[in-house]
Amino acid sequence: MKTPHVVVVMGVAGTGKTTIGPLLAARLGVPYAEGDDFHPQANIAKMSAGTPLTDEDRLPWLDAIGGWADGRAGLGGVVSCSALKRSYRDRLRAAAPGLVFVHLTGDRALVEDRMSHRRGHFMPTALLDSQFATLEPLGADEAGVAVNVSGSPEEITERAVRALDELSGPAR
C-alpha cells in the first residue's frame, strides 16, 4: 500500500486472522493489534461456553477496536477483527473513517480443519456454523479485498499485500 492505512483483517474464526495480521503488519511496517484482546471478559466467557455473541455483546468490542484504529489514523496499523456483518464494519468505519478491510476467505472444511488443530483458543469449532451464517462478505462499495486462505501463511500474506497494492492504485 502506498499510504499508511489502518487495515482490518477480517473473516470467520479459523481463517488465520491472528496469523496473517502480524505478518501483514510486518510487511507494511506498521503496528499490529490482536482483536481478541479487545473483548470484554464476559464475551470470552460466553464464547468459551459455546454461546454465540449477540450484536449487543459485540458493541463494546467493536467500539474498542474502532478507538484503536482511529488512534492510528494517518500512521497506519493492522488489527484483526471478525467484522462479519456490514453493520459491524459500518460501526468500525464510523469510529475510524478510511479503514481498509482484508477479508480472509476459505471453504468451511478448510477452516474447520485449521480450527481443530489450534490449541488454547476460546472459540470452539461448534460455533463455526454460526460464524458462516452471520458472515456478510464485503460489499462492492466497501474499501477492501478478499484473500483466499489456502496455502502457507507467507503465501496468504503475499496475496494480501498484492491485493492491497492493487486497491491503492499506482503511486503518485
Side-chain angles (χ1 to χ4, degrees), residues 28-95:
L28 299 177
V30 297
Y32 170 73
E34 169 54 55
D36 287 342
D37 293 344
F38 293 91
H39 271 298
Q41 189 57 44
N43 285 7
I44 294 171
K46 224 176 164 176
M47 289 183 286
S48 295
T51 304
L53 298 179
T54 66
D55 285 351
E56 188 175 317
D57 292 331
R58 287 185 178 89
L59 296 181
W61 175 62
L62 292 168
D63 290 343
I65 292 171
W68 182 88
D70 185 51
R72 298 297 313 160
L75 302 170
V78 174
V79 62
S80 58
C81 172
S82 54
L84 298 178
K85 289 185 179 180
R86 171 70 183 247
S87 62
Y88 305 164
R89 297 187 298 272
D90 289 345
R91 190 171 185 100
L92 290 170
R93 278 190 295 269

Side-chain angles (χ1 to χ4, degrees), residues 28-171:
L28 299 177
V30 297
Y32 170 73
E34 169 54 55
D36 287 342
D37 293 344
F38 293 91
H39 271 298
Q41 189 57 44
N43 285 7
I44 294 171
K46 224 176 164 176
M47 289 183 286
S48 295
T51 304
L53 298 179
T54 66
D55 285 351
E56 188 175 317
D57 292 331
R58 287 185 178 89
L59 296 181
W61 175 62
L62 292 168
D63 290 343
I65 292 171
W68 182 88
D70 185 51
R72 298 297 313 160
L75 302 170
V78 174
V79 62
S80 58
C81 172
S82 54
L84 298 178
K85 289 185 179 180
R86 171 70 183 247
S87 62
Y88 305 164
R89 297 187 298 272
D90 289 345
R91 190 171 185 100
L92 290 170
R93 278 190 295 269
L99 288 179
V100 176
F101 293 84
V102 171
H103 179 188
L104 299 179
T105 64
D107 67 43
R108 191 190 184 295
L110 173 64
V111 174
E112 183 175 21
D113 180 63
R114 288 186 177 179
M115 282 184 79
S116 70
H117 289 95
R118 65 185 189 181
R119 301 287 172 249
H121 195 277
F122 57 81
M123 176 68 87
T125 57
L127 292 182
L128 189 55
D129 286 334
S130 72
Q131 293 259 304
F132 274 105
T134 301
L135 176 64
E136 297 171 5
L138 288 173
D141 62 332
E142 293 184 87
V145 296
V147 176
N148 187 281
V149 297
S150 61
S152 72
E154 293 76 19
E155 291 168 330
I156 298 163
T157 302
E158 185 57 35
R159 280 197 293 273
V161 169
R162 282 195 316 266
L164 289 169
D165 281 344
E166 290 173 15
L167 183 66
S168 296

